[in-house]
Amino acid sequence: MVFVHGESDYWTCIVSGSVYTGTDFETAGITTAGPTAYTLNYQGVNFEVYPTNVPGVGIAMGGYTIPNSLSSGPWPFSRLGRQWNANGTIYNGGQLIVALVKTGDITPGTVTGMVAQAFSWQTLTPPPAGNVPSAGVINFYVTPVVITVLTCQTPDVTVPMGIQGPADLPSIGPAPSKVASFNLSLNNCPGGTTVSGTSAGQIHSVQYRIDPSAGTIAGYTNVAALGGSPAAGGVGIQLYDSTGAVFPFATYRTLSGFDSTNGGSYSIPMTARYYRTGTLSAGPANATMTMTVQYQ
């Protein structure tokens, strides 16, 4: 949480005839779209979370009002307004409390701009009727915060399959003996300390999937089609996990053993085999595949 400097005398008001006066905070700038469905609990009070200019990043707002030097709060932002109607010299103030909150998939960017305005007001009737600013408006801005997406580094992998002929693929199915071993790497995955009551500050799990660039061979769900022209015929490539089970394409798997607090680097053992699907014809037998990593 970030606290702006609280003051009990932002404004000095001279009241006569028991006119109502008080302190009020309103959304401004990048928060005017209204609250999201999210809240952030602070000292047992749920602060509303408002959208910012960066998708997936919201800002929780609440704080204290100090009418007639009497502190009241903490309050959620929608209730951050208080009144006083005694005659005499009245000092009105307040304090804004904010925190950035993850509200969805994040697009990297910079959170910046005005988020709130505060003012002292006066009216002849109890608020909110006739609630109008009577003193200088105070603007609150977010110091630019650069938002980056927490990710692991995933280097490219080249898997040498070697030269294989009809004797290595005697029948429909995977090559019985020639296996290429390799590792998928997820390096320098960031850890972090979660923000209480939110999913911010931490990757909780990592999932990964593999998709063949040229798709799969018709009738063979998990056999990658070869790419390039010319290319060998009657053959594709199949992947296997560390247990020897066929690795399913286009399906997310959860990274085992991921440490969400400390992060770290992880290695996923894999193997690949050529898979005969029909009559063989000579040619290059290459395929490219894409690994997609999903963070939660």
Side-chain angles (χ1 to χ4, degrees):
M1 309 294 291
V2 177
F3 299 76
V4 304
H5 186 59
E7 294 284 356
S8 61
D9 58 353
Y10 276 138
W11 306 278
T12 301
C13 303
I14 306 301
V15 177
S16 61
S18 294
V19 171
Y20 288 91
T21 183
T23 297
D24 194 16
F25 287 78
E26 300 289 343
T27 57
I30 62 175
T31 65
T32 54
T36 68
Y38 297 91
T39 59
L40 175 62
N41 189 276
Y42 174 73
Q43 293 188 4
V45 177
N46 288 327
F47 285 7
E48 295 97 344
V49 176
Y50 296 83
T52 69
N53 60 300
V54 174
V57 179
I59 184 169
M61 296 197 297
Y64 294 83
T65 54
I66 312 175
N68 197 35
S69 303
L70 300 174
S71 180
S72 178
W75 298 100
F77 195 81
S78 61
R79 298 182 60 190
L80 205 53
R82 275 295 184 269
Q83 69 185 56
W84 194 262
N85 66 340
N87 291 328
T89 300
I90 304 296
Y91 300 100
N92 291 326
Q95 183 178 36
L96 184 66
I97 304 171
V98 302
L100 294 180
V101 177
K102 179 180 178 181
T103 59
D105 293 336
I106 293 176
T107 299
T110 300
V111 176
T112 184
M114 186 188 300
V115 296
Q117 291 183 313
F119 54 86
S120 182
W121 48 263
Q122 65 179 16
T123 178
L124 294 175
T125 56
N131 185 358
V132 295
S134 64
V137 174
I138 297 175
N139 299 324
F140 295 90
Y141 295 85
V142 172
T143 299
V145 178
V146 178
I147 303 296
T148 59
V149 178
L150 296 174
T151 61
C152 306
Q153 297 173 2
T154 54
D156 293 339
V157 180
T158 299
V159 183
M161 299 293 291
I163 298 174
Q164 300 190 31
D168 299 305
L169 294 158
S171 60
I172 301 299
S177 59
K178 287 194 174 181
V179 179
S181 299
F182 65 98
N183 291 311
L184 298 176
S185 296
L186 290 88
N187 298 330
N188 300 317
C189 299
T193 302
T194 188
V195 177
S196 178
T198 78
S199 60
Q202 196 172 45
I203 297 174
H204 296 271
S205 68
V206 177
Q207 295 179 316
Y208 61 98
R209 60 182 278 177
I210 296 177
D211 295 273
S213 300
T216 56
I217 295 177
Y220 296 87
T221 304
N222 294 309
V223 178
L226 302 180
S229 181
V235 66
I237 296 177
Q238 194 167 63
L239 301 183
Y240 303 83
D241 63 21
S242 61
T243 69
V246 173
F247 187 92
F249 293 127
T251 301
Y252 278 108
R253 283 195 165 189
T254 299
L255 177 63
S256 177
F258 177 69
D259 185 340
S260 62
T261 300
N262 299 309
S265 296
Y266 302 87
S267 184
I268 305 169
M270 302 276 289
T271 57
R273 296 175 187 249
Y274 281 122
Y275 190 105
R276 181 171 174 175
T277 59
T279 301
L280 295 174
S281 61
N286 300 316
T288 59
M289 305 183 193
T290 300
M291 181 173 73
T292 302
V293 182
Q294 177 174 273
Y295 305 91
Q296 295 181 335

